[in-house]
Amino acid sequence: MNPAVQPPWPGALALWSALERALDAVAGTRGNPLRHLGALGFLFFWLLAATGVVLFAVLDTAVAAAYDSVARFSAGPGGLVRSLHRYAADGFVAVMAAHLVRELLHGRYAHFRRFTWITGVTLLPLALAAGVGGFWLAWDAQGQFSAVATAEWLDALPLFATPFTRNFVLDAQVNDRLFSLFVFVHLGVALLLVFGLWAHLQRLVRAAVWPPRPLLAGTLAAMLGLALLWPVQGAGPADLSRVPEVLALDWWLLALHPLMYATSAEALWALAAGLLLGLGALPWLTRARRPTAAVVDPANCNGCRRCFNDCPYAAVTMVPHPSRRQREMARVDAELCAGCGICTGACPSSTPMRRAAALHTGIDMPQQPLDGVRQQLREGLQAMQGPRRIAVFACECAAQPAAAPDVLRVPLLCAGMLPPSFVEDALRHGASAVVVAGCSIEGCAFRLGMRWTQQRLDRQREPRLRAAAPREAVQLVQADVGQPAPLAAAVHRLRAEAAHTETLR
């Protein structure tokens, strides 16, 4: 298997994948939230931004009037806005944590994914800080509890000349100046979160910032249902003369406070610092080998930009061609290359029907050159006996076909590595049918490989499958690891169709 996709914890990943498959059976891959955690996070963020603007517009930032302004707004239709804001904050933190766990289990944090991983880890404390600061602005009993607990936690660090908790001894000490600091923390950290999200996507091409429509509609409906059935209630005005005895604590955003009181401020700092440093150090602690980068052949690169447009990780850039004036050439950044081969599938010179003895492409994978794939395909088909010959181009990251006399397995680094012309070449050299097997589109190990493959075979994206290759003889199968059934069913169906054709003859 490609070293870039080997999971470090296969047992835990198997359990997670089983849960994903169970949800696939209920909602389909487009409606499965576990397959779109990043996009869901952005949906919650957009909802937070929209409702936050409304809430800030009605908030009186004077400490004596803050609680009353929020309470008046919440008493009417504004209560829906406040509830949506709170539940969106909870959802944002929840899907962020789930997204981190999923990427961790898949081992997606090293080498070309290092920058994206580090920026994602940085978002964790920013999201929690922005969420905690939001409770202070309502200045109710829950906001008071959070502010005092945060002050006690900060006082465990030798940063302040006087203890920060001195600001919360009496109600009179919580003045408008301190409340302005609360506003700055909430809005300032939220703004940093915007820049953090922007940086997080910098090395991802065509990143999904909206979930698929079924999941989008279902999530919004669930959020509205929660807001209407269980609206967020205020905890009564803050009163520093007494300690709140009973609180409906938000455990998604404020869980650190009871954890601190159950242990100590120092222990919580050690836990938080250890967790963040451990996650941040993972890219340098991994034993996974760096994937072998694609190599450009200037003599066969015509500067068409297809590899540049199709690369999922922005590893390909265009530079002036060294020997052709006013022409461009692709250049691969080895630090960013995933070693997936999607660029080779996009190259127009990757056609096996060329008359040259060896197939030289504009961009190729040293660990699996397309010339070797062509040779394996042709020699394998020639060695097969019988009229039925099914060529299966199988992504190494997906389910694999069962061994059979009439099935030729041709492994690929990614389904997106396959130029559509190879399908035509297989049919020309004796294949009765061709199967292209890869991950599910929503679960592709290299993000866009199966999407581009589907569009190329459907003649919607260059390079297209030519009309000379009948589309009905080509099956695209989405079969993740652990789900061989769709691939087996496709092979069985093609085998039965070929047997029926033989009978008619």
Side-chain angles (χ1 to χ4, degrees):
M1 179 180 282
N2 190 320
V5 295
Q6 290 182 353
W9 298 284
L13 178 59
L15 293 175
W16 182 278
S17 299
L19 178 58
E20 284 188 349
R21 290 194 295 271
L23 290 177
D24 284 343
V26 175
T29 56
R30 287 177 57 79
N32 186 345
L34 294 184
R35 293 193 179 275
H36 306 278
L37 292 169
L40 274 178
F42 272 96
L43 172 62
F44 288 131
F45 185 79
W46 306 136
L47 191 56
L48 275 170
T51 54
V53 168
V54 177
L55 287 170
F56 187 70
V58 301
L59 175 69
D60 191 326
T61 55
V63 65
Y67 175 82
D68 289 336
S69 65
V70 173
R72 284 195 304 270
F73 181 71
S74 302
L80 179 63
V81 177
R82 183 183 182 185
S83 297
L84 285 174
H85 191 72
R86 171 76 66 81
Y87 288 131
D90 291 340
F92 183 70
V93 172
V95 300
M96 179 184 293
H99 182 54
L100 183 144
V101 170
R102 187 178 191 271
E103 299 305 291
L104 181 67
L105 294 179
H106 279 279
R108 296 173 180 170
Y109 46 74
H111 306 312
F112 63 95
R113 293 187 173 102
R114 181 184 300 165
F115 178 82
T116 305
W117 174 263
I118 294 299
T119 54
V121 170
T122 304
L123 293 175
L124 289 173
L126 292 178
L128 285 175
V132 170
F135 286 92
W136 305 344
L137 299 186
W139 203 230
D140 58 2
Q142 189 164 224
Q144 170 193 328
F145 167 75
S146 177
V148 173
T150 303
E152 292 178 2
W153 193 36
L154 290 174
D155 283 343
L157 298 175
L159 297 178
F160 305 102
T162 57
F164 197 61
T165 49
R166 291 183 60 181
N167 293 286
F168 302 100
V169 174
L170 299 172
D171 284 310
Q173 291 178 291
V174 183
N175 52 33
D176 290 348
R177 184 177 178 181
L178 182 61
F179 205 75
S180 296
L181 177 62
F182 293 170
V183 174
F184 174 78
V185 168
H186 185 56
L187 299 185
V189 176
L191 186 60
L192 288 177
L193 197 59
V194 173
F195 286 106
L197 289 169
W198 171 80
H200 187 58
L201 300 182
Q202 282 308 291
R203 294 185 180 176
L204 298 178
V205 176
R206 293 177 176 84
V209 295
W210 291 100
R213 289 184 180 179
L215 186 57
L216 172 67
T219 303
L220 290 179
M223 295 291 289
L224 283 171
L226 282 172
L228 291 171
L229 295 175
W230 293 282
V232 172
Q233 303 290 337
D239 184 358
L240 292 174
S241 65
R242 63 184 183 87
V243 176
E245 296 181 0
V246 179
L247 288 174
L249 199 66
D250 188 309
W251 288 95
W252 283 109
L253 295 171
L254 302 181
L256 292 179
H257 300 330
L259 181 59
M260 181 189 70
Y261 288 124
T263 56
S264 67
E266 293 78 10
L268 184 58
W269 274 118
L271 176 63
L275 180 62
L276 288 176
L277 290 176
L279 291 174
L282 273 178
W284 289 272
L285 299 177
T286 180
R287 296 182 179 180
R289 292 183 289 112
R290 181 182 297 279
T292 303
V295 176
V296 177
D297 181 2
N300 289 281
C301 179
N302 63 8
C304 69
R305 286 180 165 254
R306 289 181 188 171
C307 58
F308 169 79
N309 292 329
D310 284 7
C311 179
Y313 300 101
V316 180
T317 55
M318 304 304 297
V319 297
H321 201 285
S323 59
R324 301 175 187 175
R325 299 180 62 182
Q326 298 182 342
R327 297 296 296 271
E328 289 183 316
M329 181 188 78
R331 182 174 65 185
V332 177
D333 186 337
E335 292 292 322
L336 303 182
C337 183
C340 59
I342 292 175
C343 52
T344 68
C347 185
S349 62
S350 299
T351 170
M353 279 81 78
R354 298 171 72 179
R355 295 182 178 179
L359 175 58
H360 298 288
T361 68
I363 189 167
D364 210 346
M365 305 306 298
Q367 68 274 42
Q368 193 176 11
L370 282 181
D371 185 58
V373 176
R374 179 179 70 167
Q375 183 177 353
Q376 180 182 0
L377 173 67
R378 292 180 177 180
E379 291 179 356
L381 289 172
Q382 186 177 4
M384 295 175 71
Q385 303 295 324
R388 293 195 303 270
R389 304 177 188 180
I390 303 174
V392 180
F393 293 98
C395 169
E396 291 185 354
C397 307
Q400 301 300 307
D406 59 348
V407 174
L408 172 65
R409 173 182 174 268
V410 183
L412 300 172
L413 300 172
C414 172
M417 177 185 176
L418 180 70
S421 54
F422 270 66
V423 173
E424 183 181 348
D425 192 63
L427 295 173
R428 283 187 175 187
H429 285 80
S432 56
V434 174
V435 175
V436 182
C439 316
S440 63
I441 291 179
E442 286 78 14
C444 180
F446 297 106
R447 299 185 57 244
L448 302 175
M450 276 297 281
R451 184 184 304 177
W452 295 161
T453 301
Q454 182 181 53
Q455 293 180 9
R456 292 168 186 169
L457 296 181
D458 289 341
R459 303 184 176 103
Q460 298 172 353
R461 188 179 189 85
E462 294 288 351
R464 296 183 175 92
L465 179 67
R466 299 200 310 173
R471 186 64 178 87
E472 61 273 11
V474 184
Q475 296 287 324
L476 179 66
V477 179
Q478 302 179 47
D480 291 324
V481 171
Q483 290 184 290
L487 179 55
V491 172
H492 177 74
R493 183 172 59 255
L494 291 171
R495 187 180 288 134
E497 291 175 357
H500 180 67
T501 302
E502 292 172 21
T503 302
L504 293 177
R505 289 176 181 173

